[in-house]
């Protein structure tokens, strides 16, 4: 397998792995235990790696890192959406009267 083909294959595997996780997170309706900082860090690194890869002319990494940036943005949007929905759900629950007697 040539170096270029190995690079594209590895890129495909990485992107498939990340896309599967983001899809699972979206489909489950929960982002419990997922830090928003994971995506902030991934976005920052992906921007830097995309620019670096472009400067050195490595198109495998330009494409890979640009798509990783997209996956980080989608992941962050999903986390924020799930957290907003959870806050809304908690706020809309009926509350027990504060002076209620316990039996």
């Amino acid at each position: 397998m040539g170096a270029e083909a190995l690079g594209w294959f590895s890129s495909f595997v990485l992107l498939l792995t990340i896309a599967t996780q983001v899809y699972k997170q979206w489909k489950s309706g929960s982002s419990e235990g997922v830090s928003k900082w994971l995506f902030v860090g991934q976005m920052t690194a992906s921007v830097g790696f995309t620019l670096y890869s472009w400067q050195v002319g490595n198109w495998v990494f330009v494409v890979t890192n640009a798509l990783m940036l997209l996956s980080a943005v989608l992941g962050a949007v999903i986390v924020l959406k799930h957290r907003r929905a959870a806050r809304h759900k908690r706020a809309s629950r009926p509350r027990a009267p504060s002076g209620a007697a316990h039996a």
Side-chain angles (χ1 to χ4, degrees):
M1 183 181 286
E4 193 80 10
L6 179 60
W8 285 113
F9 174 75
S10 299
S11 175
F12 172 76
V13 171
L14 174 63
L15 292 167
L16 182 64
T17 303
I18 296 299
T20 300
Q21 184 59 43
V22 170
Y23 177 76
K24 180 180 175 185
Q25 180 185 334
W26 170 73
K27 189 75 171 167
S28 74
S30 174
S31 294
E32 188 174 335
V34 179
S35 171
K36 68 180 177 185
W37 295 107
L38 168 73
F39 297 108
V40 170
Q42 184 184 347
M43 285 186 271
T44 303
S46 292
V47 166
F49 281 133
T50 301
L51 293 173
Y52 169 77
S53 300
W54 177 70
Q55 289 176 346
V56 299
N58 188 319
W59 290 104
V60 170
F61 286 118
V62 169
V63 171
T64 301
N65 287 299
L67 291 173
M68 290 296 290
L69 174 59
L70 178 61
S71 74
V73 170
L74 289 172
V77 167
I78 291 168
V79 166
L80 294 175
K81 180 179 180 264
H82 288 164
R83 293 206 175 136
R84 188 174 302 123
R87 279 193 306 271
H88 179 69
K89 187 176 180 180
R90 283 191 305 270
S92 65
R93 285 186 194 150
R95 294 184 181 159
S98 60
H102 298 297

